[in-house]
Amino acid sequence: MATINAAQPTSEAEAKIVAGIPAAQLLNRSRVAVRVRNLSLALGATAALLGGTTLVLSQAQAQTPAFSVYPVPGTLTAGEKTTFSFRGGTASSLGTITVRGSESGTHTGKLLAHSDGNGVSFVPSKPFEPNETVTVTTDRDIVGATDGDFKISIGDLTTRKARPVELPNVGRGNVQTFATRPDLEPPSVTVTTAKPGRAPGLVFLAPKAGRGQDGPMIINDKGQTVWFKATPGKIPADFRVQQLGGKPVLTWWEGQLFVGDGDGVGQVYDTNYKRVATVTAGNGYSFDLHEFTLTPQNTAIVLSYERFKRDLRPWGGPRDARIVDNIVQEIDLRTGAVLFEWHSFGNVSPNESNVQPPTGRGFEWEYFHVNSAEVTPDGNFLISARNTSGVYKIDRRTGKILWRLGGKKSDFKLGKGVRFDWQHSARQQADGTINIYDNSAAPPTRKSSRVINVRLDEQAKTATLTRAFKHPLGLLSASQGNVETLPNGNLFVGWGSQRWFTEFDPQGNVVFDGRIARGNDNYRAFRYPWVGTPATPPKVVATAAGGKVTARVSWNGATEVARWELLGGANPNALTPLGSANTGGFETAVTATAKPAVVAFRAYDAAGKVLTTTTPLKPASGS
């Protein structure tokens, strides 16, 4: 069962509705368990365990709907902590369920209602055994089942092997330092182009692997840091603005990176830069870095990379080996229930891979490498897989592949210039076309990476290139990268391992371009409007020497400060203005000819409204 761990309030005043969702509904593991135990009261139905093995719900509705179930019937590599999610009706319409493992025997369990009222999860009270077959019997119409009955297989889950972790703090790139925040050392950022026609908003990056600190970073169009949060010992990725409960939030993934995939959590912060939730993957799986998308239905789309022991001889590999199964999940953020789950293994043959199977015993085969997933307007899923050079549309109800674009088994005839390789970030657009970040490496198949827009004719089964943009420097990124459409029609591109980020207008002209310091890379880059008001106060340092005082101030994440006014006086109750300066980036300095005993700063917005006044402090003696 997935969990969403809300930030615990430290006082009654903090236990308020955050992002439209009461904090009490952002459940951690223990509170999820309580909700499951009390589910019969919440549903108004009577639940009974008959013989300790079969769950019977009375008050069944006269009209019993067809249910989709996840994992879908026939899944080959389910986890030992798998739950069964039934979508398409309420618990009272589900009827009788019996769950039996071929090795672990019959399973009792609890029911967890989905927050949208359109489903329920059966949560077994004990885990399953590796390599066993689980039989589920029902008296309802289940998609993919026979007379309501179906089976899944539990895989032999194992750990990562022969995948070294990236070393931190490497390279020779420049690092930023601040007198007011000596605890922050983000990598430097340089903006080389900022022309009229760019979209409004700030730029969102998650630099990693270079000198200085890794962490989510917001910059303005001058390349100045607006907000930075160090993630010591963890790698950040996919940092952006999303909506939770109809309100803007910051989201990112953070965790351990194992070269091509990761194991971590999703973080959600509000406009005051306070953590409101931590999201994990469901059914005991790891949470990979490649996707953390919130939906308008208050669900999260997440990915997992799981290793299972598998005989690879059918595909030319060794008998004693491991297959990397990529898993797409949709998580109910109010309950932690898994609402959808899809596995690459069993749905996409390893024969489609462009990566050869391992030859040595015990090694793994990452044949698929999912790197983006989204819910399409028709409710199905669009996913991208780097190692097959394919984009797939998945039927939500059945888990079956509706079509393939690209790769060895494309259902579409690719028009001139459409072919893409080792791609990332497949996103369906409002007009039905698909944007793709075409790495074309590695190994290279073109001289440069590019972003493309492809129009599909699903009747004629053709794919046509409508436009393709490259970076002026001809960047070729071996990994990572994304492309996002902005509200004004521009495209914002992160060049992945090449550390650049670029904004194109609809004609392909570069209107904004920048880069992170050498040695760093950045999984995805975004531009969004964002208004941040930090809950923490500004930081101030001041020195006095030779009849002058110099003070510096920073307010990490404050987006609305236009001007800082330096105040000084004989005591905190006798402060008068000494000077002022427009905001000068992350840190602003003001020097005045005066000998105040104490100083403070007052922040003003563009309209002249006072935003805050800092606590007075005594300047240090300078030399």
Side-chain angles (χ1 to χ4, degrees):
M1 179 175 56
T3 62
I4 175 168
N5 300 314
Q8 298 299 310
T10 57
S11 68
E12 184 176 352
E14 293 179 20
K16 60 184 179 180
I17 292 178
V18 179
I21 299 179
Q25 291 183 354
L26 298 175
L27 302 176
N28 58 25
R29 283 185 171 87
S30 62
R31 294 160 77 186
V32 168
V34 171
R35 182 180 179 121
V36 173
R37 287 194 292 271
N38 295 330
L39 184 61
S40 60
L41 296 177
L43 294 174
T46 302
L49 293 175
L50 299 183
T53 62
T54 302
L55 184 63
V56 179
L57 294 176
S58 62
Q59 301 181 10
Q61 297 176 351
Q63 298 295 325
T64 56
F67 285 88
S68 295
V69 64
Y70 310 101
V72 298
T75 295
L76 299 177
T77 47
E80 297 168 23
K81 297 180 180 180
T82 285
T83 62
F84 292 93
S85 176
F86 296 87
R87 296 288 293 165
T90 62
S92 60
S93 65
L94 186 56
T96 303
I97 308 170
T98 303
V99 178
R100 181 177 291 108
S102 59
E103 300 295 330
S104 58
T106 54
H107 285 253
T108 60
K110 309 292 184 180
L111 287 181
L112 175 62
H114 301 165
S115 65
D116 64 358
N118 193 39
V120 60
S121 292
F122 174 73
V123 184
S125 57
K126 64 179 180 180
F128 297 103
E129 294 293 330
N131 295 319
E132 73 171 332
T133 299
V134 178
T135 301
V136 180
T137 60
T138 76
D139 58 3
R140 291 294 182 262
D141 183 8
I142 304 294
V143 175
T146 301
D147 297 327
D149 303 340
F150 63 93
K151 297 180 180 181
I152 66 168
S153 298
I154 305 300
D156 192 355
L157 189 64
T158 185
T159 57
R160 291 176 173 86
K161 188 172 183 179
R163 298 183 65 83
V165 178
E166 284 194 6
L167 296 175
N169 201 35
V170 297
R172 296 177 295 167
N174 294 330
V175 174
Q176 301 179 64
T177 58
F178 310 107
T180 55
R181 294 298 303 267
D183 56 319
L184 299 181
E185 293 185 346
S188 296
V189 178
T190 301
V191 170
T192 57
T193 303
K195 296 180 179 179
R198 61 190 187 275
L202 300 170
V203 175
F204 294 75
L205 308 168
K208 56 183 171 63
R211 284 189 62 227
Q213 296 169 325
D214 298 332
M217 173 191 288
I218 305 174
I219 66 167
N220 60 24
D221 281 4
K222 296 179 180 179
Q224 297 168 332
T225 299
V226 174
W227 182 74
F228 179 75
K229 179 177 175 59
T231 56
K234 299 178 182 179
I235 295 294
D238 202 16
F239 176 47
R240 48 179 155 154
V241 177
Q242 300 197 69
Q243 296 283 318
L244 180 62
K247 295 184 178 181
V249 291
L250 296 177
T251 67
W252 69 91
W253 177 94
E254 67 179 33
Q256 299 299 314
L257 183 62
F258 298 87
V259 182
D261 62 274
D263 185 358
V265 298
Q267 299 288 17
V268 184
Y269 277 55
D270 64 15
T271 55
N272 302 127
Y273 303 98
K274 298 175 69 175
R275 182 171 61 89
V276 297
T278 297
V279 179
T280 66
N283 293 342
Y285 297 132
S286 60
F287 185 169
D288 174 64
L289 67 97
H290 284 94
E291 193 72 75
F292 179 33
T293 295
L294 305 185
T295 75
Q297 290 72 40
N298 288 323
T299 65
I301 309 302
V302 304
L303 305 177
S304 298
Y305 281 55
E306 298 298 338
R307 279 84 178 159
F308 293 92
K309 294 180 181 179
R310 203 76 187 185
D311 183 351
L312 298 183
R313 287 179 296 176
W315 303 284
R319 177 178 180 178
D320 180 14
R322 305 157 186 245
I323 194 79
V324 180
D325 183 20
N326 288 164
I327 302 164
V328 180
Q329 290 185 332
E330 183 174 15
I331 306 297
D332 183 345
L333 292 178
R334 287 191 172 96
T335 66
V338 176
L339 305 186
F340 173 84
E341 182 172 301
W342 181 87
H343 293 244
S344 64
F345 189 67
N347 286 295
V348 179
S349 170
N351 285 329
E352 294 187 35
S353 183
N354 295 318
V355 176
Q356 294 299 310
T359 56
R361 293 179 56 193
F363 283 89
E364 66 181 44
W365 189 13
E366 191 181 337
Y367 82 99
F368 196 65
H369 195 94
V370 63
N371 54 35
S372 73
E374 68 173 4
V375 179
T376 54
D378 60 6
N380 295 309
F381 282 80
L382 187 71
I383 68 173
S384 165
R386 178 191 187 275
N387 288 353
T388 63
S389 294
V391 174
Y392 302 77
K393 187 169 185 179
I394 309 300
D395 187 301
R396 174 189 283 271
R397 284 176 57 80
T398 66
K400 302 297 184 183
I401 297 172
L402 295 173
W403 50 250
R404 294 167 170 84
L405 172 65
K408 295 179 179 179
K409 296 181 64 177
S410 180
D411 292 304
F412 297 88
K413 181 180 179 180
L414 305 185
K416 183 179 180 181
V418 171
R419 176 179 166 171
F420 50 88
D421 296 283
W422 316 105
Q423 81 292 334
H424 287 73
S425 185
R427 302 298 194 196
Q428 183 171 332
Q429 304 302 295
D431 63 358
T433 60
I434 298 174
N435 282 346
I436 299 171
Y437 182 84
D438 176 16
N439 292 74
S440 292
T445 56
R446 295 177 184 271
K447 293 182 179 180
S448 305
S449 299
R450 58 185 187 148
V451 295
I452 61 175
N453 179 262
V454 179
R455 185 176 301 279
L456 303 182
D457 186 329
E458 296 196 30
Q459 298 299 319
K461 296 298 182 184
T462 59
T464 304
L465 182 70
T466 66
R467 58 181 177 177
F469 298 156
K470 301 178 182 179
H471 193 276
L473 296 178
L475 301 175
L476 182 67
S477 53
S479 68
Q480 309 168 83
N482 72 303
V483 53
E484 303 295 328
T485 301
L486 301 177
N488 67 347
N490 288 0
L491 295 181
F492 202 84
V493 180
W495 299 95
S497 59
Q498 286 287 6
R499 68 189 170 96
W500 266 259
F501 45 91
T502 307
E503 184 175 345
F504 295 95
D505 70 14
Q507 291 72 45
N509 300 307
V510 174
V511 295
F512 184 78
D513 195 36
R515 64 182 184 272
I516 309 170
R518 69 173 63 186
N520 289 272
D521 59 45
N522 178 63
Y523 174 48
R524 288 173 172 171
F526 300 91
R527 180 189 285 281
Y528 293 103
W530 174 253
V531 176
T533 305
T536 56
K539 299 290 186 179
V540 179
V541 296
T543 57
K548 293 184 177 182
V549 60
T550 297
R552 290 176 171 82
V553 60
S554 66
W555 199 7
N556 192 15
T559 61
E560 303 306 289
V561 178
R563 182 170 63 92
W564 289 100
E565 183 177 55
L566 177 62
L567 308 174
N571 60 69
N573 297 317
L575 298 178
T576 59
L578 301 179
S580 67
N582 293 334
T583 299
F586 185 86
E587 188 173 81
T588 301
V590 177
T591 298
T593 302
K595 297 181 180 180
V598 293
V599 295
F601 272 102
R602 182 174 291 151
Y604 295 87
D605 67 12
K609 177 184 175 182
V610 175
L611 300 177
T612 191
T613 302
T614 67
T615 301
L617 60 81
K618 181 180 179 180
S621 298
S623 56

